[in-house]
Amino acid sequence: MAAPSAAGERRPFGRRLLTDPARLFQHNAWDNVEWSEEQEASARSKVQENSSQLLPQDKQEEYEMNAKKYWDDFYKIHENGFFKDRHWLFTEFPELAPNRNSSQNGDSVHGFSDTEESKNEGLGSCESGHCSLETRTESQLNLIKSLRGGHTEELAARKDSELSQSDGHYPGSAASYRILENNAEYDSSRCFVFVHDLCNDQSPFPMPEESLDIVILIFVLSAILPEKMQCIVTRLSRLLKPGGMILLRDYGRYDLAQLRFKKGQCLSDNFYVRGDGTRVYFFTQDELDHLFTTAGLEKIQNLVDRRLQVNRGKQMTMYRVWIQCKYCKPTTLQP
């Protein structure tokens, strides 16, 4: 199926060329939007400009040292009211529920209905560098919220270590399918919540290596110091069973959020600090491919999702860029 462009040629369905402003504001989102050379050049120029002045090294070290505090403060203020659940996880990552049929999953992220988008047409604000349309899932926020009333990190780390060393028994050891993530429908009979600092390579996981089917990284890696990303991906890959997968969705290069940064907020190439002290990195496909393949994983999917979103109330257009990946641990060769 194809849609005609302004010039009359046919284009693949989902790639829509927008030329009529009156028509533009009748809808809320377009997927797989193609950027012109001029638009890409303009985005590149904005990034060159806002990254021309780097923060002093002592300030960068301060943000790294206090990273936990800045994110804790963010969630204390916003709880689960800032990022909205976009209901797309099971559609884009059907591996999360192998027994769930396609009708339950609904439409793909590349085919969100106008009805779904219109429910959120008031979104689109950016606050301290956070753009609310970045689709962080509500389940992640509920995880953070639930942890706040639980163990301290020190107690959790000690408990996790004990669990992982107890004669092969660990959280989920009796399950046939295990996922490293949480869900809003938390049930302690089938879920285990724990606090873990991914940036601390000495912090033990509460499960052994090669025990997980899925690891989910939804806007996680982008919040981490780039120099630590490889170690984190490698550690997480060791938790996967042969055939297990890491599922990722994160910021892509030249996303709206990157272009809105001002001079003096850049820490290093494509790595910025927001007004509230939290940090964010903007990836390319090649960078993510290098991280995962270096960890010994094989590519299943690595795609860029470019979307045009419109806030009709504010008559504002927003070009978002995300990257979605699926990387698999090779299965053990049979003798």
Side-chain angles (χ1 to χ4, degrees), residues 62-126:
E62 178 185 331
Y63 284 120
E64 171 65 12
M65 187 181 305
N66 296 315
K68 175 182 179 298
K69 174 185 178 300
Y70 290 125
W71 278 111
D72 284 346
D73 288 346
F74 174 85
Y75 286 112
K76 285 177 183 176
I77 294 171
H78 298 287
E79 295 188 338
N80 65 347
F82 191 84
F83 301 110
K84 304 300 179 182
D85 188 351
R86 305 300 290 169
H87 307 288
W88 53 268
L89 273 178
F90 289 111
T91 300
E92 290 305 302
F93 300 125
E95 298 84 357
L96 293 174
N99 297 323
R100 188 183 179 101
N101 61 46
S102 58
S103 63
Q104 289 175 299
N105 290 341
D107 293 333
S108 160
V109 69
H110 303 299
F112 276 141
S113 68
D114 291 335
T115 301
E116 170 65 20
E117 293 292 339
S118 66
K119 294 176 183 177
N120 300 292
E121 64 183 42
L123 301 179
S125 61
C126 283

Side-chain angles (χ1 to χ4, degrees), residues 87-250:
H87 307 288
W88 53 268
L89 273 178
F90 289 111
T91 300
E92 290 305 302
F93 300 125
E95 298 84 357
L96 293 174
N99 297 323
R100 188 183 179 101
N101 61 46
S102 58
S103 63
Q104 289 175 299
N105 290 341
D107 293 333
S108 160
V109 69
H110 303 299
F112 276 141
S113 68
D114 291 335
T115 301
E116 170 65 20
E117 293 292 339
S118 66
K119 294 176 183 177
N120 300 292
E121 64 183 42
L123 301 179
S125 61
C126 283
E127 182 177 317
S128 298
H130 295 273
C131 293
S132 59
L133 284 167
E134 63 192 3
T135 69
R136 188 181 300 258
T137 58
E138 185 175 359
S139 61
Q140 289 179 288
L141 306 177
N142 288 337
L143 170 61
I144 299 295
K145 188 175 180 180
S146 65
L147 292 178
R148 217 174 277 142
H151 302 289
T152 63
E153 291 189 23
E154 293 76 16
L155 178 59
R158 188 180 71 207
K159 187 173 182 180
D160 294 346
S161 180
E162 293 169 356
L163 285 167
S164 62
Q165 299 173 10
S166 57
D167 301 325
H169 294 287
Y170 56 91
S173 58
S176 60
Y177 201 72
R178 293 182 286 273
I179 298 174
L180 181 61
E181 177 59 300
N182 195 39
N183 189 277
E185 299 176 358
Y186 175 74
D187 181 352
S188 59
S189 68
R190 61 186 182 88
C191 303
F192 178 76
V193 170
F194 63 99
V195 177
H196 186 85
D197 182 0
L198 281 176
C199 294
N200 180 1
D201 59 5
Q202 300 302 310
S203 178
F205 289 106
M207 70 286 293
E209 295 183 357
E210 298 197 346
S211 64
L212 298 179
D213 295 277
I214 300 288
V215 172
I216 305 174
L217 297 176
I218 307 295
F219 296 98
V220 172
L221 279 186
S222 56
I224 293 169
L225 188 70
E227 289 80 359
K228 295 184 177 181
M229 290 179 185
Q230 186 63 70
C231 178
I232 288 169
V233 171
T234 299
R235 288 189 70 215
L236 290 174
S237 70
R238 293 181 186 138
L239 296 177
L240 293 173
K241 299 175 182 177
M245 282 194 287
I246 290 182
L247 309 179
L248 173 142
R249 190 170 175 85
D250 220 319

Side-chain angles (χ1 to χ4, degrees), residues 18-31:
L18 307 176
T19 57
D20 183 357
R23 180 174 178 270
L24 180 68
F25 287 99
Q26 294 174 3
H27 303 278
N28 278 57
W30 289 262
D31 58 280

Side-chain angles (χ1 to χ4, degrees), residues 271-316:
F271 191 45
Y272 300 81
V273 61
R274 301 182 177 98
D276 59 8
T278 61
R279 297 169 300 172
V280 59
Y281 187 84
F282 298 88
F283 292 98
T284 64
Q285 291 172 280
D286 288 344
E287 288 172 340
L288 287 168
D289 185 72
H290 179 75
L291 287 172
F292 290 122
T293 55
T294 299
L297 304 182
E298 297 177 346
K299 181 176 72 173
I300 303 299
Q301 181 187 75
N302 184 327
L303 59 85
V304 176
D305 180 18
R306 291 185 176 90
R307 290 174 62 80
L308 169 60
Q309 297 178 326
V310 178
N311 185 315
R312 292 190 293 180
K314 297 182 179 180
Q315 295 193 347
M316 179 172 61

